[in-house]
Amino acid sequence: QVQLVESGGGLVQAGGSLRLSCVASGSISSINAMGWYRQGSGKQRDFVALISSSENTNYADSVKGRFTISRDNAKNTVYLEMNSLKPEDTAVYYCDGIVADITTPGLPRHYWGQGIQVTVSS
């Protein structure tokens, strides 16, 4: 089992910056990649960013060039540095731990944090 706890959310003005943190515990050695998703009010949960075990990264087009995902293996923590924030970035942000599941080949298991609110005002 993997447990994920997010922190660092809050209220920021448009154009500002915020850094989210996600601390993993439990079977952390089983995590192949970690990412961030977000869910705005009345919307589906959408992919934001991902970082692999080899520290390759991937970003949604909507945040590319503004957000940076990183990880600190010694602290079992993944970060999301958010710059040039826009009101449309307002959402609950969820940390995602991705674990291979041999019972469902090709379909990794996702573990989710509790979510943390990010609000960007204009």
Side-chain angles (χ1 to χ4, degrees), residues 15 25 32 50 52-53 61 67 106:
S25 61
N32 293 327
L50 180 143
S52 70
S53 298
D61 288 341
F67 290 12

Side-chain angles (χ1 to χ4, degrees), residues 36-114:
W36 291 92
Y37 284 67
R38 66 187 182 186
Q39 186 170 16
S41 179
K43 299 180 179 180
Q44 67 180 11
R45 186 175 298 186
D46 291 328
F47 168 78
V48 175
L50 180 143
I51 185 165
S52 70
S53 298
S54 60
E55 300 194 10
N56 289 329
T57 58
N58 191 29
Y59 299 92
D61 288 341
S62 59
V63 306
K64 194 172 299 182
R66 300 188 297 119
F67 290 12
T68 302
I69 188 170
S70 61
R71 64 193 302 168
D72 185 336
N73 291 332
K75 297 181 178 180
N76 301 320
T77 301
V78 63
Y79 303 95
L80 185 67
E81 184 74 34
M82 304 183 293
N83 300 311
S84 301
L85 283 162
K86 305 174 181 179
E88 51 262 44
D89 295 319
T90 295
V92 176
Y93 284 70
Y94 295 90
C95 185
D96 175 29
I98 303 169
V99 178
D101 186 355
I102 62 172
T103 66
T104 56
L107 296 175
R109 180 181 295 273
H110 293 256
Y111 291 89
W112 301 102
Q114 79 282 1

Side-chain angles (χ1 to χ4, degrees), residues 1-44:
Q1 296 292 317
V2 174
Q3 296 82 44
L4 304 170
V5 179
E6 303 101 331
S7 62
L11 175 65
V12 65
Q13 283 190 321
S17 299
L18 208 60
R19 188 179 75 165
L20 304 182
S21 299
C22 173
V23 179
S25 61
S27 300
I28 57 176
S29 62
S30 66
I31 299 176
N32 293 327
M34 298 188 70
W36 291 92
Y37 284 67
R38 66 187 182 186
Q39 186 170 16
S41 179
K43 299 180 179 180
Q44 67 180 11

